[in-house]
């Protein structure tokens, strides 16, 4: 994590908040920061309004109390000049450039002349405090605040009829409070900005770490599966093919001289080929359900499963299969495999736990999803919790079904009443590309 160094003495500060500009920040970035900070815009508007309100009130007071004096034109002209100077200030920016320093010096000088000519303009110093604190380095800003405070005290004493301790103590107190508030806001803003930056960096690190971990897990899973298949192929198919090659070559060499031996080599090679064919079929069965590997799609596989389970039930269990709706596009292979495995697992639970005589597989094609319902007329149970059972489950049938649906972003719904059978419904969305973060299975 990078750490920014503190600004050196004399470094510029932000026009509104007084924050030191970050290393590498451009004036365009500063403008965008101010434009996007509601508190900064509110503070800027408040300072501008206070300055022009105090300036207008001071000019009005002077004109009401000193009409027609020789200095009146000068007071009006200087008031207009200081208003124009104050409006120009934001255009020059807040960094301590030669132009901004000259502007601040002229602004303070015009205000001092106004205070000498008309002490009622002294209270315009409060907005000037913040202007100096925004532009100047800390020590220079404090010196300017002290100078402006002295002029305010002198002006108030000139307006008073006699010596008043409040007029001597109040302006320094106001200046001290204003300076302390500004410095505190500046430090709080700096801390808040640093905290926000650290939080953003931590979040970015966390997201990057999660992506890297997921990519690493995918790579490790892929490599592990490749290694398993390579070992299986090497120990079975590759060895068998190598033996067949040697036997056939030996048969070719001895065919004319010793035909009986050659035929024996061919028969041995034929036996090895049969075993390799069985191994190859085992690989296919491991990678895809046997019923799907034979072709015909999910519907044909479910009909074959129902017929096989009925035949194996020998009259104790009859399984029927129904297909509703029309399929507009072919189902993805992983969806077909998962639904067929779910049907097999559900029927295994029916045979083992339900004591049912009839069961039904219903495959429904909808526009946005495909639904497989497995219903039986068995003894039923009371579904409780995420396991969906009454608490005494053998095996991993339902957890395996939930895991398959979670990988596809689907949901599992179980409806069961003791003595009235069970309906298990597995719904898989056809547009999902990844499982939901926290799937909700309904019971």
């Amino acid at each position: 994590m990078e750490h920014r160094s503190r600004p050196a003495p004399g470094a510029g500060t932000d026009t509104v908040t007084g924050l030191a500009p970050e290393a590498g920040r451009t004036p365009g970035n500063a403008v965008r920061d101010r434009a996007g900070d509601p508190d900064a815009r509110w503070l800027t508007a408040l300072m501008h309004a206070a300055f022009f309100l105090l300036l207008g009130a001071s000019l009005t007071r002077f004109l009401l109390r000193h009409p027609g004096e020789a200095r009146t034109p000068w007071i009006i002209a200087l008031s207009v000049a200081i208003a124009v100077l104050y409006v120009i200030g934001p255009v020059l920016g807040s960094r301590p450039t030669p132009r901004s320093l000259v502007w601040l010096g002229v602004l303070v000088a015009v205000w001092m002349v106004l205070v000498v000519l008309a002490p009622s303009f002294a209270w315009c110093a409060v907005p000037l405090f913040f202007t100096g604190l925004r532009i100047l380095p800390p020590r220079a800003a404090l010196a300017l605040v002290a100078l402006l405070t002295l002029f305010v005290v002198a002006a108030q004493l000139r307006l008073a009829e006699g010596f008043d301790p409040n007029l001597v103590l109040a302006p320094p107190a106001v200046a001290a409070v204003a300076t302390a508030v500004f410095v505190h806001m500046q430090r709080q803003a700096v801390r808040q900005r640093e905290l926000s930056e650290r939080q953003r960096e931590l979040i970015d690190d966390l997201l990057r770490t999660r992506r890297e971990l997921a990519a690493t897990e995918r790579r490790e899973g892929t490599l592990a599966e490749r290694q398993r298949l390579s070992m299986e192929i090497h120990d079975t198919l590759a060895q068998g093919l190598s033996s067949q090659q040697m036997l056939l070559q030996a048969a070719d060499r001895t065919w004319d001289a010793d035909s009986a031996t050659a035929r024996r080599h061919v028969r041995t090679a034929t036996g090895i080929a049969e075993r390799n064919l069985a191994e190859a079929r085992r690989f296919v069965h491991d990678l895809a359900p046997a019923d799907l590997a034979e072709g015909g799609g999910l519907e044909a596989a479910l009909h074959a499963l129902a017929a096989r389970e009925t035949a194996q039930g020998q009259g104790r269990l009859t399984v029927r299969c129904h297909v509703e709706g029309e399929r507009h596009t072919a189902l993805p292979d992983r969806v077909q495999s998962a639904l067929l495995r779910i049907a097999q697992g559900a029927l295994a639970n029916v045979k083992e736990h339900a004591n049912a005589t009839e069961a039904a597989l219903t495959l429904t094609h909808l526009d946005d999803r495909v639904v497989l319902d497995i219903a039986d007329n068995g003894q039923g149970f009371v579904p409780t919790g995420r396991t969906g059972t009454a608490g005494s489950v053998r095996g991993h049938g339902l957890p395996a079904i939930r895991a398959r649906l979670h990988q596809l972003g689907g949901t599992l719904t179980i409806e069961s009443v003791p003595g009235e059978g069970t309906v298990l419904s597995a719904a898989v969305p056809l547009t999902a590309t990844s499982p939901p973060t926290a799937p909700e299975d309904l019971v």
Side-chain angles (χ1 to χ4, degrees), residues 81-324:
I82 198 172
V84 172
L85 286 171
Y86 195 85
V87 171
I88 295 175
V91 179
L92 300 178
S94 63
R95 303 181 66 182
T97 60
R99 290 192 305 172
S100 62
L101 293 177
V102 170
W103 168 81
L104 180 61
V106 173
L107 180 66
V108 173
V110 172
W111 174 80
M112 288 180 177
V113 173
L114 267 175
V115 172
V116 171
L117 295 177
S120 58
F121 286 86
W123 286 111
C124 293
V126 176
L128 296 181
F129 289 164
F130 289 92
T131 302
L133 289 170
R134 288 198 307 266
I135 295 178
L136 298 176
R139 293 184 180 178
L142 293 178
L144 177 62
V145 170
L147 178 62
L148 296 179
T149 304
L150 289 176
F151 264 76
V152 173
V153 171
Q156 293 302 309
L157 291 177
R158 285 178 56 189
L159 291 175
E161 297 179 355
F163 178 78
D164 189 346
N166 288 333
L167 299 180
V168 177
L169 299 177
V174 172
V177 171
T179 303
V181 169
F182 186 87
V183 171
H184 176 73
M185 292 176 59
Q186 174 183 351
R187 292 178 178 176
Q188 289 295 109
V190 170
R191 293 192 189 99
Q192 185 64 33
R193 176 175 294 181
E194 292 176 350
L195 179 60
S196 300
E197 291 176 354
R198 291 194 185 99
Q199 290 177 342
R200 285 195 297 269
E201 291 172 353
L202 289 175
I203 292 174
D204 293 340
D205 290 342
L206 177 60
L207 294 177
R208 183 169 56 254
T209 301
R210 291 181 60 182
R211 289 193 296 268
E212 293 174 354
L213 179 60
T216 301
E217 291 178 347
R218 286 193 297 270
R219 287 194 299 269
E220 291 179 351
T222 302
L223 292 176
E225 184 64 13
R226 287 178 179 176
Q227 184 179 10
R228 185 187 72 83
L229 291 176
S230 65
M231 294 174 61
E232 291 282 343
I233 293 173
H234 175 269
D235 294 339
T236 55
L237 299 181
Q239 295 290 343
L241 291 172
S242 177
S243 300
Q244 290 177 59
Q245 182 183 20
M246 291 188 296
L247 288 169
L248 292 176
Q249 289 174 349
D252 182 64
R253 289 193 302 268
T254 60
W255 191 265
D256 294 330
D258 189 355
S259 59
T261 301
R263 289 188 180 91
R264 187 169 63 251
H265 289 330
V266 171
R267 287 194 296 271
T268 304
T270 301
I272 295 175
E274 291 176 354
R275 289 195 297 271
N276 278 359
L277 180 59
E279 291 292 345
R281 287 173 175 171
R282 184 178 65 84
F283 289 149
V284 172
H285 293 169
D286 288 342
L287 297 177
D291 292 330
L292 290 177
E294 294 175 358
L298 179 60
E299 293 83 353
L302 290 175
H303 279 98
L305 174 63
R308 186 167 58 251
E309 293 294 339
T310 299
Q312 293 176 358
Q314 298 179 355
R316 294 187 302 271
L317 176 64
T318 301
V319 181
R320 296 185 302 273
C321 181
H322 308 279
V323 177
E324 299 180 357

Side-chain angles (χ1 to χ4, degrees), residues 292 297-299 302 323 326-337 339-340 363-372 428-431:
L292 290 177
L298 179 60
E299 293 83 353
L302 290 175
V323 177
E326 295 185 0
R327 195 176 46 176
H328 301 290
T329 58
L331 294 176
D333 293 340
R334 60 197 301 257
V335 174
Q336 296 189 62
S337 298
L339 290 177
L340 182 56
L363 182 67
T364 305
H365 294 283
L366 301 176
D367 293 336
D368 59 344
R369 66 187 184 277
V370 59
V371 182
L372 176 63
V428 178
L430 299 180
T431 57

Side-chain angles (χ1 to χ4, degrees), residues 59 62 69-81 110 113-114 117 121:
L59 179 60
F62 177 83
E69 292 189 2
R71 54 179 176 166
T72 299
W74 289 100
I75 297 298
I76 297 176
L78 290 174
S79 299
V80 173
V110 172
V113 173
L114 267 175
L117 295 177
F121 286 86

